[in-house]
């Protein structure tokens, strides 16, 4: 810039120079146009062989064991493979957990389960009394054994004098039928038995006839699939047939602890291989069948206690939910039978007070 060139002239000259396109000779020898570089990249990409990602092995359902066969000791690593559907993996894990006593029987602290302002509300946390000391020292074990023996002898004598009439036998068969249908899907032999069910003009008889018609018209495979969708499912079934769930909104709640304590007093314990907790509808119905038939030795009022305390508060809602479940066709008839029979039992127990 010369001395005579003012700032305006200099700005105009530089503006004109920047507006002119650069000559080809002005390009550095090592630079390339952007389009040329893109063309080289495209040619390099086309020359490179295309490689597909490794395909996952095809999923074969037959290679997996049935979900119902899973126990606490089953190796379920085959369900954890990447090609297994996520819902099926969750169902296998859930089955393994509910069959493991360490997980299944755990009853933890839940909201509103205990009154933490009252130490006596939590078993094992209340203050010691004078009567607790002999038990802690093991001094009253002999006395407790004598009391248990005396109670057992008294119950056996009461059972020997109790006459099981035809109505009790019919009630026991009804309870056993419902318990069997809720514990598993019926096999071919049970379906044949259901087809032969007779009915009459009573609501209970009409429910029997409807169940027999459903057993004759629906294939066994469809019934099995229906049971799976309702009570097992991929991840969870459509319904939870547990007292704890209907009474508290969650599984393995305080009702289960109370049921276990009552059954323990009757001398009933979970059999080995039984995965369902004791508040399952099928378990409670089977207990009622044993009491009605006299196979479970107990005083006469035990039937009313079990029914009024552990079945009546929720079993009607469960059967109503099952009757209107989306997947229920055959089991809608099972639910109708259960609902009507529970209504008959509730009325009978109320009249016999």
């Amino acid at each position: 810039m010369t001395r005579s060139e003012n700032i305006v002239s200099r700005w105009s000259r530089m503006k004109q120079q920047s507006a002119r396109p650069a000559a080809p000779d002005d390009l550095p020898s090592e630079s390339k146009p952007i389009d040329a570089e893109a063309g080289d990249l495209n040619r390099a990409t086309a020359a490179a062989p295309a490689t597909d990602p490794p395909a996952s092995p095809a999923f074969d359902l037959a290679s997996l064991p049935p979900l119902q066969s899973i126990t606490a000791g089953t190796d379920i690593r085959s369900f954890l493979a990447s090609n297994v559907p996520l819902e099926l993996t969750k169902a296998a894990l859930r089955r393994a957990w509910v069959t493991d006593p360490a997980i299944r029987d755990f009853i933890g602290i839940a909201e509103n389960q205990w009154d933490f302002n009252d130490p006596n509300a939590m078993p094992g946390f209340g203050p010691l009394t004078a009567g607790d000391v002999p038990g802690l020292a093991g001094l009253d074990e002999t006395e407790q054994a004598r009391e248990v023996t005396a109670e057992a002898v008294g119950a056996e004598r009461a059972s020997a004098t109790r006459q099981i009439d035809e109505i009790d036998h019919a009630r026991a068969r009804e309870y056993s039928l419902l318990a069997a249908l809720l514990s598993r899907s019926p096999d071919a032999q049970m379906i044949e038995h259901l087809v032969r069910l007779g009915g009459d003009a009573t609501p209970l008889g009409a429910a029997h006839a409807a169940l027999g018609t459903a057993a004759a018209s629906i294939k066994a495979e469809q019934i099995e699939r229906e049971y799976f969708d309702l009570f097992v499912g991929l991840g969870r079934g459509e319904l939870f047939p547990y007292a704890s769930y209907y009474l508290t909104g969650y599984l393995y709640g305080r009702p289960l602890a109370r049921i276990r304590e009552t059954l323990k007093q009757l001398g009933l314990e979970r059999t080995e291989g039984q995965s369902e907790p004791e508040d399952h509808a099928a378990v409670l119905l089977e207990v009622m069948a044993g009491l009605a038939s006299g196979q479970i030795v107990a005083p006469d009022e035990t039937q009313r206690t079990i029914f009024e305390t552990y079945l009546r508060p929720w079993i009607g809602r469960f059967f109503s939910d099952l009757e209107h479940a989306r997947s229920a066709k055959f089991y809608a008839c099972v639910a109708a039978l259960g609902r009507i029979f529970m209504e008959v039992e509730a009325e009978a127990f109320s009249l016999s007070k």
Side-chain angles (χ1 to χ4, degrees):
M1 183 178 71
T2 64
R3 291 179 180 273
S4 61
E5 186 180 20
N6 59 30
I7 189 170
V8 176
S9 300
R10 179 175 174 270
W11 175 83
S12 176
R13 177 175 58 80
M14 295 180 67
K15 188 73 174 177
Q16 292 173 1
Q17 289 177 355
S18 63
R20 288 198 303 266
D25 295 339
D26 295 339
L27 289 174
S29 59
E30 66 273 14
S31 64
K32 292 182 180 180
I34 296 177
D35 293 341
E37 292 181 359
D40 293 341
L41 181 60
N42 292 336
R43 287 192 296 271
T45 304
T51 57
D52 295 331
S56 300
F59 170 64
D60 183 11
L61 182 60
S63 64
L64 299 176
L67 287 175
Q68 295 294 336
S69 67
I70 296 177
T71 63
T74 302
D75 184 358
I76 63 169
R77 284 179 292 181
S78 57
F79 286 92
L80 306 181
S82 59
N83 61 333
V84 178
L86 180 59
E87 293 300 327
L88 186 57
T89 299
K90 292 181 180 179
L93 290 172
R94 177 175 177 267
R95 181 69 183 177
W97 292 336
V98 300
T99 55
D100 187 348
I103 301 175
R104 178 194 63 215
D105 298 342
F106 176 74
I107 301 177
I109 297 177
E111 184 179 3
N112 299 327
Q113 182 175 356
W114 288 328
D115 182 3
F116 291 94
N117 296 317
D118 180 9
N120 294 311
M122 296 174 283
F125 289 88
L128 292 175
T129 63
D132 296 326
V133 176
L136 294 173
L139 300 178
D140 62 343
E141 293 179 355
T142 303
E143 185 63 28
Q144 289 178 357
R146 291 175 182 172
E147 292 177 359
V148 171
T149 303
E151 290 177 359
V153 171
E156 290 179 358
R157 290 174 179 173
S159 177
T161 59
R162 176 175 175 242
Q163 299 295 325
I164 307 300
D165 57 20
E166 183 179 354
I167 295 178
D168 285 333
H169 280 299
R171 292 175 56 242
R173 289 194 297 269
E174 208 75 61
Y175 275 116
S176 295
L177 174 62
L178 291 171
L181 291 173
L182 292 178
S183 63
R184 63 188 183 279
S185 60
D187 54 18
Q189 184 177 0
M190 181 177 289
I191 291 176
E192 291 180 2
H193 170 74
L194 294 175
V195 170
R196 295 194 297 268
L197 279 177
D200 52 36
T202 65
L204 193 62
H208 284 154
L211 181 59
T213 302
S217 59
I218 302 176
K219 295 181 180 179
E221 295 80 6
Q222 293 176 320
I223 297 176
E224 183 177 3
R225 180 65 188 184
E226 185 177 323
Y227 181 89
F228 179 87
D229 292 338
L230 287 168
F231 304 117
V232 182
L234 294 176
R236 57 159 288 182
E238 193 172 340
L239 296 176
F240 283 130
Y242 304 99
S244 293
Y245 180 79
Y246 273 86
L247 296 177
T248 67
Y250 55 87
L251 301 176
Y252 302 100
R254 196 169 187 178
L256 174 58
R258 292 172 175 171
I259 291 171
R260 283 177 176 166
E261 183 63 27
T262 300
L263 296 183
K264 184 178 179 180
Q265 294 173 2
L266 295 176
L268 302 177
E269 296 181 357
R270 189 204 314 267
T271 58
E272 185 176 356
Q274 173 65 37
S275 61
E276 297 293 355
E278 292 88 335
D279 64 340
H280 191 285
V283 176
L284 293 173
L285 292 171
E286 188 64 33
V287 170
M288 288 298 297
L291 291 170
S293 65
Q295 294 179 351
I296 298 178
V297 177
D300 291 345
E301 64 272 11
T302 305
Q303 289 190 62
R304 184 204 305 275
T305 300
I306 297 292
F307 183 85
E308 296 285 351
T309 307
Y310 302 122
L311 274 172
R312 187 172 184 175
W314 69 278
I315 196 67
R317 285 186 289 145
F318 163 69
F319 278 127
S320 179
D321 291 344
L322 179 58
E323 193 171 2
H324 299 92
R326 175 175 49 85
S327 303
K329 294 181 180 178
F330 171 82
Y331 272 91
C333 297
V334 176
L337 175 62
R339 175 180 54 79
I340 294 172
F341 180 58
M342 291 298 100
E343 292 172 356
V344 172
E345 284 287 273
E347 184 177 0
F349 280 122
S350 64
L351 293 175
S352 60
K353 289 182 180 180

